[in-house]
Amino acid sequence: MREITDVIKEYEHLRVIDLSFNVLKDVNSLLALKYLVKLELARNLLNTAAFLGKNGVWDYLKDCNLQGNKITALTPVSLRSLRKLNLNNNIITTV
């Protein structure tokens, strides 16, 4: 999968989504899924995790897997319920 279309907004009550092993570069469409508890985005082509810093988004997210992407910088994370964030195998050089 190369992109997430706006159709995803129709599923705003999803609690778990696994989009691992795709070629996603942008996941901003997922911000509409405000009840997510678990987000799996391992092995994509994401070069940023800035979407984790948006206030008031994903207030219920507890587990986020961004392993094996192309993330180079870690920006502040504003997720009050987050308990597990996997950033292994990225190329983070700036925190």
Side-chain angles (χ1 to χ4, degrees), residues 73 88 92:
N88 290 340
I92 298 171

Side-chain angles (χ1 to χ4, degrees), residues 3-69:
E3 67 181 45
I4 303 166
T5 64
D6 285 341
V7 172
I8 197 76
K9 292 177 182 176
E10 295 178 24
Y11 302 96
E12 69 175 302
H13 290 94
L14 278 177
R15 310 244 322 143
V16 175
I17 192 165
D18 188 341
L19 294 170
S20 299
F21 298 95
N22 285 287
V23 289
L24 297 171
K25 293 181 180 179
D26 182 356
V27 295
N28 284 318
S29 295
L30 295 178
L31 295 174
L33 305 178
K34 56 187 174 184
Y35 298 106
L36 279 180
V37 174
K38 185 173 185 177
L39 177 61
E40 293 281 342
L41 291 170
R43 309 274 188 238
N44 278 284
L45 299 175
L46 300 175
N47 61 15
T48 182
F51 55 89
L52 296 177
K54 301 200 184 264
N55 285 329
V57 178
W58 293 337
D59 286 338
Y60 304 99
L61 190 65
K62 293 181 180 181
D63 187 346
C64 183
N65 184 358
L66 299 175
Q67 177 183 352
N69 280 282

Side-chain angles (χ1 to χ4, degrees), residues 63-86:
D63 187 346
C64 183
N65 184 358
L66 299 175
Q67 177 183 352
N69 280 282
K70 308 259 185 235
I71 298 169
T72 58
L74 185 58
T75 55
V77 175
S78 298
L79 300 170
R80 65 181 182 191
S81 297
L82 191 66
R83 299 293 176 256
K84 181 179 177 187
L85 176 60
N86 185 344

